[in-house]
Amino acid sequence: MAAVLMDGFKNSIRSKATLFLFFCIIALNSFAASPCKVVGLRCEYLINPLGIDAKTPRFTWRLEDARRGGKQVAFQVLVSTGANDFSNDKSLQWNSGKIDAATNLILYNGKELQPFTTYYWKVIVWDKDGVETSASPVATFETGMMGAHNWKGTWISDGTGIHEKPAPYFRKKFNTTKKVKTARAYIAAGGLFELYLNGEKVGNHRLDPAYTRFDRRTLYVTHDVTKQITQGQNAVGVLLGNGWYNHQSTAVWDFHKAPWRARPTFCLDLRITYEDGSVETISSGKDWKTAFSPITFNSIYTAEHYNANLEQPLWNTAAFVDTAWKGVIIRSAPSQNIVSQVMHPIRNVTEVPAVSVTKFNDATYVYDLSRNISGVSKIKVQGTKGTVLYLKHGERLTKAGRVDLSNIDAHYRPTDNTDPFQTDIVVLSGKEDEFMPRFNYKGFQYVEVTSSQPVSLKKENLTGYFMHSDVPPLGQVSSSNPMINKLWQATNNSYLSNLFGYPTDCPQREKNGWTGDAHIALETGLYNFDGITVYEKWLADHRDEQQPNGVLPSIIPTGGWGYEWGNGPDWTSTIAIIPWNIYLFYGDASLLKASYENIKRYVDHIDATYPTGLTTWGLGDWVPVKTKSPVELTSSIYYFTDTYILSQAARLLSKKEEEQHYSKLAQKIKEAINAKYLDRATGLYGSGSQTELSAPLYWNIVPEALKAKVAANLAQRVQKDNLHLDVGLLGTKSILNALSENGYADLAYKIAAQEDYPSWGWWIKNGATTLYENWNIDATSDISLNHIMFGEIGAWLYKALGGIKPDSAAPGFRHIVLEPHFVAGLDAFDASFNSPNGLVISSWKKKGRSIEYNVTVPPNTTAMLKLTTGKMKLYEGDKAVTSLSPKESSNNRQGQSSYLLNAGAYRFILK
Ligand code: BGC
């Protein structure tokens, strides 16, 4: 009995001690600072954005945690109207509470957001040990109009017509008597604008607002102008340009006949909040004055003309006397749908000085920037008053060394000689003049300056500016092959040259939002740049342009051209492929949700029109090296892809019946393709060309049991083609991937690294700094020197050599597939990609017979490393790393080992 008592006593002491220890640990845990930090807070994918119209904006963040297995087990988001005040019930707008989840993307779900309001937010995360981190730095977002009814301004114009050439100025004087606390400018335009306050340009954006289908969606831009308003007399000025709204130049796509076309117009609210809390709004309206500016002509497509003698100094300041200016007219808004531009803006991102100037005579000079860019040139020059300069911008030179436009002016249809292609015209004042177009951009490397009277020019007189949507870089590639490094750069140059608030085909000949080019280059874009804001905007353009029956035009936006040509599924599958890849890369299904009905209408249209499952609607493998592949095969593959994506979207959105319906339809299309094109005995599709074999492999058309056979045929085909490309635009998407994904990475690399015709390297070897439109440098048509349509190689470098791939089961790189190929012929390769969860690094170097492989798996993610190791073994330090059993690792192929990696940095040796 006593013993029993004794035991009970001991037990109780023990359990008390345990309890004590337990509390100590808890206490320690909550006091010990977690090494995990919350960083990178963004709202709607922008840092502290202004002018948010979304009712439930999206918040995202990242972790910094160097520990192995660092992750978030729970999080809490707090949103308040009080700066740094998250405890006051009145200002607190949302407290998500502690949510046990690893997600770093959440939609606002608090009190209804009010317009014109600054919201402060922060995130608290519980780390891998359940320890609460110190809160993130406080971030902000500010709401905008949140609805057309909040506009106070009136849409105004100068009352002239669509053929009027000079760009109009607008101005208004106003007084402030009180101390300004904050001031915001909200400005929407049909056309393009530059906004000025007290003589200074507001912000550093270019070509705002971005191009949309103006009569269906008009964008407004928000600027913080607090510092530009002075107490007392102020003046606000607006300069309007035509942009795509009033297209005066004539080309084959008929933009001059666009249904929305009108003289440019704008609406402005300058909302000033004073220190005393009162609010005053200065708006566009009948009391504004207008006059012509010195910009005597402006065309987004061709160029800009300027007469320095027409300058009205200080026109945008309060001191200016505007009695000679005339009144404005009030007009209707371009559309009833005026929404915020929530996007990385276009900017003059890189200054590109001229590297040389060649003087032909006193009135003829040719500048060379030594790289091809999209953008503008700025000239600073002094010459005799009245001298006319012609600045002709082009991508190549004639044999005589003069600028040659013949590769890019093919689709221009001028009606007279007053609007020469890519040629700015400047009339000098006699003083030092400076000119840079405000409402035009071009594609060029060379600028030929000719003048009506002798003028003295030096290299320093002209500078180029590389303009594009200023999307933050996310990826980086470098390798031991200098040609590959240059090719990666050239691909990015062409990608950016073709990103102006919508993806384009080329910055010179067309500037058209060609759908096909954009989906081919999509992954290249997403690995290298943070493009989600631009793609979300462009998909809204898609929704604006879609016919009720589901049909989309081949170029988006469009003035009407493109519903009858080039708009089959091989091009307009953007409607499905873009939302799906945004989902894979960002883990965000919003765009997929927003596009779901549109994808459905699109697929239903093809199903109704082509009930067999095969469609001949499309352009096919555009600009091939030599072999043309059947349009029906490639178009039906894209039709299958859209239907498959639709079935996956239906699954995500829990639409059971639709998931079943579209899965079945996808299966039917696949079977129809295989029944007509696949010879099961030989494993060949059609005539067995590179595109015919690689497209079915890459897009998952090939029956599992025949994959190896089809891939072997592709490898043989490539050997027969002397390890060179024989594809067009559609084939470039699949050729390298189909090889590297099916056991032929070495062959894929050989093609990628070729330096003679036909290859990417052939361009690079011939001095290309951008990608071309034609494999044949001497071709006579389709010869733009800045096309992104053959740009998939930029993504392939990440996917095949770096091996960094998203996993659709855990999108947004929550789970990462790492499948690098240490290809023959390349000694070292580094890829890094700043995923939504942080930096993924995959970097390898061959050292004698072993390979050093460095990997970083960002916090809050895991990675499946898949290596085709053969007889080699993987070590970390001296320790052999154990691979998963084939059962545990998905897709285990013969000779492939898989390793599950937690977050952290690893230095492996393969020997
Ligand atoms: C464009 C291409 C586009 C093609 C469609 C060309 O004029 O520049 O990039 O995809 O037309 O056929």
Side-chain angles (χ1 to χ4, degrees):
M1 181 71 179
V4 173
L5 273 178
M6 208 44 205
D7 268 358
F9 179 68
K10 274 192 214 151
N11 273 348
S12 111
I13 290 201
R14 220 178 284 146
S15 59
K16 267 184 193 146
T18 320
L19 216 62
F20 177 70
L21 214 68
F22 178 72
F23 279 120
C24 281
I25 289 169
I26 293 258
L28 262 176
N29 264 351
S30 41
F31 291 118
S34 164
C36 173
K37 265 205 225 147
V38 189
V39 295
L41 273 66
R42 291 184 304 168
C43 172
E44 291 295 292
Y45 297 95
L46 295 170
I47 297 168
N48 301 334
L50 301 180
I52 293 294
D53 276 349
K55 290 194 166 64
T56 56
R58 292 162 291 180
F59 299 126
T60 55
W61 60 90
R62 276 182 293 112
L63 302 189
E64 261 175 19
D65 191 337
R67 295 172 297 178
R68 282 273 164 103
K71 65 178 176 188
Q72 161 190 315
V73 295
F75 72 96
Q76 181 178 17
V77 174
L78 295 156
V79 180
S80 168
T81 46
N84 282 321
D85 182 2
F86 294 90
S87 47
N88 178 339
D89 274 355
K90 244 182 92 194
S91 39
L92 193 68
Q93 303 296 303
W94 185 39
N95 177 353
S96 71
K98 182 178 174 185
I99 299 175
D100 293 326
T103 186
N104 58 346
L105 161 66
I106 186 104
L107 264 66
Y108 175 79
N109 188 18
K111 291 182 197 161
E112 191 182 344
L113 297 177
Q114 299 303 310
F116 315 121
T117 309
T118 306
Y119 292 88
Y120 302 82
W121 65 287
K122 65 177 182 181
V123 185
I124 298 159
V125 153
W126 282 261
D127 74 3
K128 72 185 183 83
D129 303 321
V131 177
E132 186 177 329
T133 62
S134 47
S136 69
V138 175
T140 64
F141 70 96
E142 187 179 286
T143 48
M145 287 285 164
M146 299 200 90
H149 57 283
N150 282 319
W151 282 93
K152 292 206 167 17
T154 305
W155 283 83
I156 59 173
S157 174
D158 74 347
T160 63
I162 54 171
H163 301 296
E164 195 66 66
K165 298 274 172 77
Y169 276 152
F170 297 84
R171 59 171 267 121
K172 179 189 159 72
K173 242 165 62 171
F174 63 95
N175 241 344
T176 55
T177 48
K178 294 183 279 188
K179 253 196 132 175
V180 176
K181 187 172 163 225
T182 58
R184 300 284 183 263
Y186 303 94
I187 175 162
L192 299 170
F193 72 82
E194 288 208 340
L195 173 66
Y196 301 85
L197 266 168
N198 298 321
E200 228 178 74
K201 185 184 157 177
V202 172
N204 60 4
H205 300 190
R206 301 289 318 275
L207 303 177
D208 263 343
Y211 177 21
T212 58
R213 165 99 209 199
F214 296 99
D215 51 350
R216 304 209 170 131
R217 210 167 92 262
T218 315
L219 299 182
Y220 78 87
V221 181
T222 308
H223 283 288
D224 179 353
V225 292
T226 310
K227 292 202 180 105
Q228 280 171 276
I229 307 247
T230 49
Q231 201 171 337
Q233 292 262 304
N234 291 271
V236 52
V238 172
L239 170 64
L240 288 186
N242 289 318
W244 295 94
Y245 186 63
N246 183 33
H247 208 278
Q248 295 178 326
S249 305
T250 36
V252 296
W253 310 279
D254 284 348
F255 280 102
H256 61 290
K257 292 186 194 156
W260 61 69
R261 187 173 169 193
R263 180 75 172 159
T265 175
F266 76 98
C267 184
L268 168 90
D269 275 357
L270 191 59
R271 196 171 187 275
I272 306 171
T273 308
Y274 295 106
E275 287 284 2
D276 66 5
S278 62
V279 173
E280 184 181 11
T281 306
I282 310 296
S283 293
S284 51
K286 201 62 192 159
D287 54 343
W288 283 56
K289 297 289 256 332
T290 181
F292 286 159
S293 75
I295 299 176
T296 50
F297 172 77
N298 68 96
S299 162
I300 186 80
Y301 181 60
T302 55
E304 194 158 303
H305 308 170
Y306 165 82
N307 185 343
N309 299 291
L310 302 178
E311 276 289 352
Q312 303 193 49
L314 305 177
W315 69 275
N316 42 21
T317 63
F320 185 78
V321 181
D322 60 15
T323 42
W325 288 35
K326 60 173 195 149
V328 298
I329 64 145
I330 293 179
R331 47 150 294 170
S332 60
S335 83
Q336 293 305 311
N337 187 20
I338 301 165
V339 297
S340 181
Q341 175 172 306
V342 185
M343 187 169 55
H344 293 288
I346 299 165
R347 290 194 174 98
N348 279 11
V349 180
T350 314
E351 188 175 301
V352 186
V355 294
S356 69
V357 60
T358 308
K359 182 174 177 178
F360 287 80
N361 57 48
D362 279 352
T364 312
Y365 299 81
V366 173
Y367 284 87
D368 182 0
L369 303 185
S370 118
R371 60 179 287 201
N372 201 7
I373 60 168
S374 59
V376 290
S377 65
K378 182 195 270 180
I379 188 157
K380 278 190 198 169
V381 54
Q382 186 156 19
T384 317
K385 183 178 165 107
T387 303
V388 185
L389 298 187
Y390 296 84
L391 294 98
K392 192 201 264 191
H393 296 67
E395 294 182 313
R396 56 186 206 183
L397 299 179
T398 62
K399 282 212 177 84
R402 304 285 292 270
V403 167
D404 171 18
L405 297 180
S406 63
N407 68 320
I408 47 176
D409 65 0
H411 300 322
Y412 181 35
R413 301 283 179 271
T415 51
D416 58 32
N417 58 6
T418 59
D419 177 13
F421 194 59
Q422 291 224 127
T423 305
D424 296 327
I425 303 177
V426 179
V427 183
L428 301 185
S429 70
K431 297 187 222 105
E432 187 178 63
D433 296 315
E434 183 176 301
F435 171 75
M436 179 183 86
R438 291 174 161 97
F439 301 125
N440 162 269
Y441 74 95
K442 308 169 185 77
F444 68 104
Q445 169 168 343
Y446 305 98
V447 185
E448 176 181 303
V449 184
T450 48
S451 70
S452 62
Q453 298 186 57
V455 66
S456 157
L457 289 173
K458 302 225 153 41
K459 197 172 74 173
E460 293 69 33
N461 289 80
L462 186 130
T463 308
Y465 291 91
F466 186 13
M467 282 169 74
H468 50 81
S469 287
D470 195 5
V471 284
L474 289 184
Q476 187 84 36
V477 157
S478 76
S479 78
S480 53
N481 180 345
M483 193 285 287
I484 291 287
N485 301 344
K486 283 189 190 161
L487 177 57
W488 174 70
Q489 284 287 358
T491 307
N492 283 351
N493 288 342
S494 278
Y495 180 76
L496 292 173
S497 295
N498 285 296
L499 201 68
F500 276 76
Y502 66 110
T504 70
D505 58 335
C506 52
Q508 2 67 4
R509 189 185 68 214
E510 306 197 19
K511 301 183 171 77
N512 273 321
W514 275 104
T515 44
D517 307 43
H519 69 68
I520 299 287
L522 174 65
E523 288 169 273
T524 285
L526 295 178
Y527 276 110
N528 286 295
F529 301 98
D530 185 11
I532 184 170
T533 57
V534 178
Y535 287 114
E536 289 194 335
K537 177 266 174 191
W538 196 46
L539 263 287
D541 298 336
H542 275 63
R543 298 195 289 276
D544 285 343
E545 297 284 15
Q546 190 174 32
Q547 301 268 1
N549 70 2
V551 172
L552 288 153
S554 49
I555 55 171
I556 294 175
T558 176
W561 190 94
Y563 287 100
E564 292 184 22
W565 193 84
N567 60 333
D570 48 356
W571 258 243
T572 51
S573 287
T574 39
I575 191 71
I577 291 176
I578 291 182
W580 179 247
N581 277 280
I582 291 291
Y583 172 68
L584 292 182
F585 275 74
Y586 287 85
D588 185 342
S590 325
L591 187 60
L592 202 52
K593 249 187 227 169
S595 313
Y596 181 80
E597 288 302 324
N598 305 77
I599 306 172
K600 199 170 124 187
R601 255 195 282 151
Y602 184 66
V603 166
D604 287 349
H605 172 80
I606 309 178
D607 185 22
T609 321
Y610 299 93
T612 60
L614 293 177
T615 172
T616 50
W617 188 23
L619 289 175
D621 204 10
W622 196 249
V623 195
V625 174
K626 52 181 197 293
T627 307
K628 232 0 219 142
S629 300
V631 170
E632 188 183 59
L633 173 62
T634 46
S635 278
S636 302
I637 288 175
Y638 278 93
Y639 172 34
F640 163 80
T641 301
D642 299 336
T643 312
Y644 170 75
I645 290 172
L646 183 56
S647 71
Q648 294 304 297
R651 185 178 52 79
L652 276 171
L653 302 176
S654 307
K655 295 175 189 280
K656 274 256 145 51
E657 265 172 40
E658 295 186 0
E659 180 193 345
Q660 260 180 15
H661 172 75
Y662 292 109
S663 303
K664 256 199 188 148
L665 180 57
Q667 190 57 29
K668 173 179 140 181
I669 302 165
K670 193 187 264 197
E671 281 163 14
I673 295 171
N674 287 331
K676 180 152 180 190
Y677 288 96
L678 171 63
D679 180 334
R680 288 174 184 264
T682 59
L684 287 171
Y685 279 81
S687 68
S689 70
Q690 290 187 18
T691 299
E692 285 169 298
L693 294 171
S694 64
L697 275 169
Y698 176 70
W699 292 108
N700 247 321
I701 302 291
V702 184
E704 205 50 51
L706 286 174
K707 270 196 172 160
K709 202 168 182 172
V710 176
N713 281 330
L714 176 62
Q716 260 181 39
R717 177 72 261 162
V718 162
Q719 299 275 13
K720 278 190 204 142
D721 292 329
N722 198 19
L723 296 173
H724 280 74
L725 291 166
D726 182 17
V727 292
L729 159 137
L730 302 176
T732 47
K733 186 77 194 177
S734 53
I735 180 71
L736 300 180
N737 293 307
L739 288 168
S740 55
E741 285 172 6
N742 290 285
Y744 298 96
D746 287 353
L747 274 191
Y749 177 69
K750 285 211 169 89
I751 297 173
Q754 287 297 5
E755 295 191 7
D756 56 354
Y757 174 81
S759 67
W760 288 277
W762 174 239
W763 299 335
I764 301 297
K765 212 177 149 192
N766 280 277
T769 55
T770 44
L771 300 192
Y772 293 174
E773 186 184 14
N774 209 310
W775 301 111
N776 179 1
I777 296 176
D778 302 317
T780 49
S781 65
D782 306 312
I783 42 175
S784 131
L785 301 185
N786 201 352
H787 249 64
I788 188 54
M789 73 179 190
F790 291 145
E792 162 66 11
I793 184 138
W796 178 81
L797 296 173
Y798 289 90
K799 290 189 278 187
L801 303 187
I804 303 170
K805 291 182 276 193
D807 179 352
S808 62
F813 295 87
R814 175 55 40 82
H815 181 68
I816 301 157
V817 177
L818 274 177
E819 199 171 2
H821 295 290
F822 314 120
V823 290
L826 190 65
D827 296 333
F829 185 83
D830 301 337
S832 64
F833 168 63
N834 210 347
S835 80
N837 289 290
L839 201 60
V840 186
I841 298 175
S842 171
S843 155
W844 51 265
K845 195 185 243 151
K846 292 179 185 164
K847 289 189 163 170
R849 299 178 70 191
S850 63
I851 299 167
E852 183 182 323
Y853 182 46
N854 288 296
V855 178
T856 300
V857 179
N860 215 20
T861 70
T862 50
M864 184 67 81
L865 173 61
K866 297 178 182 180
L867 295 176
T868 310
T869 46
K871 287 201 179 109
M872 294 170 115
K873 276 212 159 91
L874 190 69
Y875 292 88
E876 200 188 1
D878 299 333
K879 253 179 67 192
V881 186
T882 16
S883 64
L884 298 172
S885 70
K887 251 196 197 155
E888 288 170 286
S889 80
S890 55
N891 283 334
N892 194 277
R893 278 207 219 98
Q894 273 217 325
Q896 193 178 61
S897 312
S898 299
Y899 310 84
L900 186 63
L901 306 181
N902 286 320
Y906 299 82
R907 185 162 173 265
F908 295 122
I909 300 286
L910 206 65
K911 55 186 179 190

